[in-house]
Amino acid sequence: MVALCRKLSTIATPNIFPRKQGYPQINSTQIFIPFSQLQRRRLLEERLVSVLHGSTNLVQIKQVHAHILRKGLEQCCYVIAKLVRMLAQLDVPVHSYPRLVFQQVNYPNPFLWTALIRGYAVQGPFSESIVLYNRMRREGTGPVSFTFTALFKACGAVLDVDLGRQIHAQTILIGGFASDLHVGNTMINMYLKCGFLDCGRKVFDEMGQRDVVSWTELIVAYAKSGDMESAGELFRELPVKDMVAWTAMVTGYAQNARPKEALEFFERMQDAGMETDDVTLVGIISACAQLGANKYANWVRDIAEKSGFGPTGSVVVGSALIDMYSKCGSIEEACKIFEGMKERNVFSYSSMILGFAMHGRAHAAMQLFREMLKTETRPNRVTFVGVLTACTHAGLVEQGRQLFANMEKCFGVAPSADHYACMVDMLGRAGQLEEALELAETMPMQPNGGVWGALLGACRIHKNPEIAQIAANHLFQLEPDGIGNYILLCNTYALAGRWDDVSRLRKLMREKGLKKNPGCSWVEAKKGVIHEFYAGQMTHPESIKIKQALEDLQDRLKAHGYQPILSSVTYDISDEEKKRLLMHHSEKLALAYGLLSTDAGCTIKIMKNIRICEDCHAFMCSASQVMEREIVVRDNMRFHHFHDGACSCDKSKCFDDGRNEMGWTLPEILQLEMSVRLREKKIKNSVLGKIREPNQIGESVG
DNA sequence: GTAGGGTTAG
């Protein structure tokens, strides 16, 4: 019996227990441990690991750790590795508590080493993963497949493809690891993250064993590179398609501005009997946002609510819905979603602020920004794009300037080229064109198309062909195919009466083969059916009725003071001809059909592919008053809400004294945020002060 | 251990 126990005890304990004083040395010739005792300990270890696995907070884990120490298991790699992994998962800084626990173990096994390496691979500093790997090898411990997945994760995180290649070589050198499925998958992931699609594809092609994860990784990579054809081809070849793979395709189409195909794919996915989760929903919501039609918006919202991932269930779905309803023209619906959300984060706030800004509700946008600052959510760069845009559309130049000047100091968000574009837009629209130009020319980074485009747009509004020429020259370099830039410059010349320049530019456009996009508008008629109208075209089945209705409408509006704004036509033609052209702009046709086909009291929603012209804008204003209808026009820039003879983009309707009804001023906001930042900084310093700095970075794999 | 997600101005 004794002999049997002796035999079993040696078999039952392979490399689990390290040899050193302080922990039982399992050498059957020197120390005899009864089998029952070993079994008890093994059971205890199993139990501790499972308790750790179920722990959800630091307090619970610390209790288990205390128990580990009481039972004398601080050298047991199996348990300690789990402890380290759980701590890292809970975002406890790896180089503090977990590292300390690791250092207490005299002989770490590969799994314990890997737990720590993985911790750094998730949290950073990523180079510490490599340092640890090298130390592990020097101390004679061989890696396991987990080690490589962790290392590839680290390389992917810092986009270090050279290091990734070295580790790739090691997987082949050490043997056996290159053919491991998970190692292969993380390797593909690393190459794709670093932007080496070909290398990822090569690993994929050479893999002996692939699973749906390997395929999906590549599908996503192709989708992100804009190559939906290759993505689709892979998807067709994929033997067993799961929900994630389907979602990758739906999202891919949505991200590549192909919303109709995204919807088609989603329908196919449902036909295939696939489940829908929050990630799928986000993809499809984004597609509906691009379509801008309420019919689809309501349809997808129903699906979201039925599947249990509605705005109250998921903060991500909620934020996507806010964005979708804003883009579909239903800012009220977006508000309702926002108010009904249980949890809100920076995405929810930013989407709502941008929604308000887009719809000309600067007041609401600023108020929401203020409310956000009272919560624990901190603004990010997108939030500032929203807030600055709101200031721009409300003509709040002084407030905008102060926010921009204090972004970095008070909020910790450094201004990017996009924020400079907002400022150039703001100054430009306010008529301060010289200052806007100076800002564009002196900004610390290379100005992007947005910056010069904003300036060019402002030059058209304020009829300044000289500065327009400068902005346009930059734009012609940055966006050689951007037809809109040529049109804007053309319009600016026309407004200034420089017809020679107009014809010179038109000739240049012809030479370059650039064609003006025909103006096109869509209007939602009954039951959400969408009707399309092109400028000057009378192809709609009811076009005779529409033409008559439009003429009647024009007469009524003229009686109320509407006069065609002839300068909106940039052709050197007779006034009569100009009037005729203006009257056939697509949005006017859409409006006439909207009035014919919807009931009194219904809001008329029109979408347009290019910017609404000044004349149509005045026409809509007047129509909203005379016909007593709410009219919403979404052009390629923003939303216009016409109500009782005014538009939401009319600056004079917004507050402009730096103070709103809440009774706060901008300096108060800045002060408030500064105190938050200081407090955060203090907390951070006090935590970091206790933690040892990790080793130097920059070591390569040896 | 591995794959899919939301907000950006002219």
Side-chain angles (χ1 to χ4, degrees), chain A residues 51 69 122 145 167 265 306 336 361 370 458 540 593:
Chain A
V51 173
L69 295 176
V122 173
S145 60
I167 297 165
F265 232 91
K306 277 179 195 149
K336 275 188 207 157
R361 296 205 191 171
R370 158 79 170 168
H540 192 275
Y593 188 71

Side-chain angles (χ1 to χ4, degrees), chain A residues 611-681:
Chain A
R611 211 188 285 241
I612 185 169
C613 81
E614 212 182 328
D615 176 63
C616 285
H617 197 271
F619 193 87
M620 298 280 167
C621 275
S622 182
S624 71
Q625 189 174 34
V626 174
M627 304 306 288
E628 293 178 3
R629 285 286 196 114
E630 193 90 14
I631 303 167
V632 180
V633 178
R634 166 190 170 170
D635 67 8
N636 61 340
M637 292 292 152
R638 55 174 299 178
F639 281 94
H640 302 264
H641 288 254
F642 299 95
H643 170 77
D644 201 21
C647 178
S648 58
C649 73
D650 181 1
K651 282 180 261 182
S652 61
K653 284 182 75 191
C654 294
F655 69 110
D656 202 356
D657 59 354
R659 183 177 277 274
N660 72 8
E661 290 149 5
M662 297 286 286
W664 52 268
T665 59
L666 194 63
E668 280 164 22
I669 289 190
L670 300 176
Q671 188 90 41
L672 182 92
E673 192 59 21
M674 203 57 200
S675 65
V676 173
R677 297 261 307 155
L678 281 174
R679 206 168 51 237
E680 277 178 358
K681 211 173 169 185

Side-chain angles (χ1 to χ4, degrees), chain A residues 33 56 63 65 175 191 196-197 209 231 287 294 305 320 382 386 398 484 494 559 563 598 600:
Chain A
I33 299 175
T56 50
Q63 282 171 354
H65 189 195
Y191 279 123
F196 288 79
L197 213 159
Q209 199 192 351
N294 273 291
E305 272 167 3
V382 182
E398 216 26 65
Q563 277 299 319
T598 55

